[in-house]
Amino acid sequence: MIVLKFGGTSVANAININKTIKIVSQKSSNNKLVVVVSAFSGITDKLLLAATQASCKSKNYLEIYKEIETIHHTVAQDLLSKTVFDVFFPSIQTQLDQLKILLDGCFLLGELSPRSKDAIAAYGEILSSQIIAQALKNTVTETVYKDSREFISTNSNFGKADVDFDSTNKAIQDYFNTNPAKITLVPGFVAASKNNDTTTLGRGGSDYTAAIIANAIHAKALEIWTDVDGMYTANPKLVKQAQPIAQISYQEAMELSHFGAKVLYPPTIQPVLHSKIPVWIKNTFNPQAHGTLIATTNDNHSNPIKGISHIDTISLLTLEGSGMIGVAGSSKRLFEVLSQQNINVIFITQASSEHSICVGIQSSDANKAKQAIDLAFEVEILQEKIDACTIENNLCIVALVGENMKNHQGISGKMFSTLGKNNVNIRAIAQGASERNISVVINEKDVNKALNTLHECFFEDDIKQLNLFVMGVGNVGEKFLHQIYNQRDFLKQNLRLNVTVVALSNSKTMFFDENGIDLKQWKTLLQQGQPANAQEFVNTMQQLNLRNSIFVDITANQDVAFLYEILLKESIAVVTCNKIACSSAYHHYKKLKDLSRKYNAPFLFETNVGAGLPIIDTLKNLIASGDKVHKIQAVLSGSLNFIFNNFSNTYSFHDVVKEAGVQGYTEPDPKIDLSGVDVARKILILIRESGYPFEMESIENNSFLPTECMNTTTNEDFFNSLINHNNHFENLLEKANQSQSRIKFVATFDNGKANVGLQFIPKNHPFYNLEGKDNIVLFYTDRYQDQPLLIKGAGAGAEVTASGIFADVIRVGNQY
């Protein structure tokens, strides 16, 4: 015999009930069945609300009752033929009338006793089961209805009655030993006391009913039919990558269900655990899915973690003080107080010093618990031996569950390090001696990030999701997004990185989609966004609180650069081509570097110098390996190199600067490049990365621009000034030609001094043949004294700059 239980969503309406009937009919062809059903979806809540409203003298209970009556009338009418309905429904109506009498009584008396509450709540299952049984008889004539109150006996603990298993098991066995019916349909959740009062079995009561019957009749299997494909590795509403668990042990299932896996409630497992009856979790709306089998398992080779679960709305109570050290019975007194207040303790941890003990309880009980604890320890508190009980609210518990965790070293370390990298602060930790469960208490605002981060770590084949927040989608930004779109599959398959762009912003609008922006239509989506605001952009990042978040700054905006500090403190990685932050005051640069280390938040700016060239990364490796830089010579402006390589007697200085802008080699304000400020920033960054505390004011800038050009305030005026001073630039070119040299704008650091400016480079110099927009850097170090370390390549352009930013994003992914 098999026991099937169908939950509220499976019997929510006539359409769903017909799906249930089809499943039952197919199952009955080979097996005798016991079918346990819940109330129609939402009915129990409506019954309890109506009872509460009535006891509060609110006539709203009449409207709620009318809804309940209408729902049962409609479902019965949809399921049954008119002839059957006309004969059958009057009995249902009689019971609905009795329900109304009970509600009227609550209204007249202005009270709702636990006994009355159970009697009213039971109507959900009593009515649904009779209607479904009548509909099922049309398909399988050998169907009988049996009221579970006739064989499940309990005490009078209304609301969550305790089952008398001796009398219950005997009554169930006696009934089914003489019952020849192919299908027996019974209501879940309801039972009866020895005084014949209706009682209920509490939360998950219908599952419990099914398990009680399955155990008593030694069923071949218990099937729990719900609206999901089984128990999941995590809550699929919060973790989209969650997967159904194919098989799980009884103990693992109990742990997961205790920690919020709502497809199953912990008491359900208890009756079938000893008898080792297999339990299946199946989907009414996808019956072909494998589902989850709960059974004895000896699988020691699969993932040691079977699931990740959590409990919301937790408060942490802490009792501490020197008066607890070495004093026997302190813990006993604490738990007795909570027990007397009927407060369930979900989580316990105590320091080995015995100085403090923490317990996690539901937040709704927190204030009541504190008052009771403070009263119980009043003497010790007055004597200042123990502090008054403290409460921390807005917490939740996250748990890793797995039978085989005890056989695998490093699970807890991996868990803590994964959470730490994403700035999830752990308030308390608990792990049982069985090592079947590792639980942590965290802030509830971090639960989504914590669950996704842990799931990614333990279940997703080490595929890391990187959530990118991109500010600046101009020429370089557009190329960057295009590169991400083209390389996403490659990154996922080869580097195990799932790169998702969550937010975009330009100077006018910004757009967010935490599920990932469709990069095929990002321009259209961005146009539909909200007004751009850099601070609000960062605030939204913090509110979304996504795992592995990376802020990508592709602007040259000073206000944006000064937001990095906020981001790094939130353990959000920063990738930037914006040179302003790293070339600002040295104390600010150092602070950003320190914050990056302190909060384990990568701060990468490879494209600050040399666009896509690995200059800074190479320099970091030199310093990390113990080398020391003494001298740097470099051509660091791809735009200036392009300009002076193309400046000729037939191509004026004005025209070549214009062309550099068109090609995307200069900043939006070309004066930044031509004034030498941009190169000064770059050499400053290299000096600092070499380990020298240097300021911008210490760099001598030998500008080649006339004063009038430098003093212009608009791009139009600047370009006009280049025309006006054409002779000045022609003279520079003539001087270079006469000395058979080429003009290069060179940055130099030597013997603690730095300067930038034009130099005439002779033919035998490494800089002479630097073509196009290329950059070149020479590092003279302890190891590279006579022959410098040389890095050379394209140092400007949207494509190479975008690729440098992309490379930094990948570096961040590899660090997470």
Side-chain angles (χ1 to χ4, degrees), residues 500-532:
T500 301
V501 177
V502 174
L504 293 172
S505 178
N506 57 23
S507 60
K508 295 180 180 178
T509 56
M510 57 186 186
F511 179 78
F512 293 83
D513 185 346
E514 63 180 297
N515 296 318
I517 294 171
D518 182 355
L519 295 184
K520 286 184 179 178
Q521 51 179 337
W522 69 266
K523 289 184 179 180
T524 302
L525 293 170
L526 183 56
Q527 288 175 352
Q528 299 168 0
Q530 63 197 84

Side-chain angles (χ1 to χ4, degrees), residues 28 33 44 57 69 81 126 140 152 172 236 274 280 286 397 411 660 791:
S28 68
L33 305 179
T44 302
K57 295 286 188 176
E69 183 183 47
S81 66
I126 292 169
V140 183
I152 298 182
I172 292 172
H274 180 71
W280 282 93
N286 185 19
I397 299 174
I411 296 291
I791 302 171

Side-chain angles (χ1 to χ4, degrees), residues 303-305 400 404-419 421 431 435 438 454 457-458 462:
N303 190 339
I305 309 299
L400 289 187
N404 294 322
M405 289 197 299
K406 57 181 174 289
N407 299 321
H408 290 76
Q409 295 178 340
I411 296 291
S412 56
K414 192 174 180 182
M415 178 187 191
F416 302 148
S417 117
T418 299
L419 294 175
K421 286 179 180 177
Q431 180 174 11
E435 297 186 52
I438 304 172
L454 292 172
C457 177
F458 289 103
D462 290 328

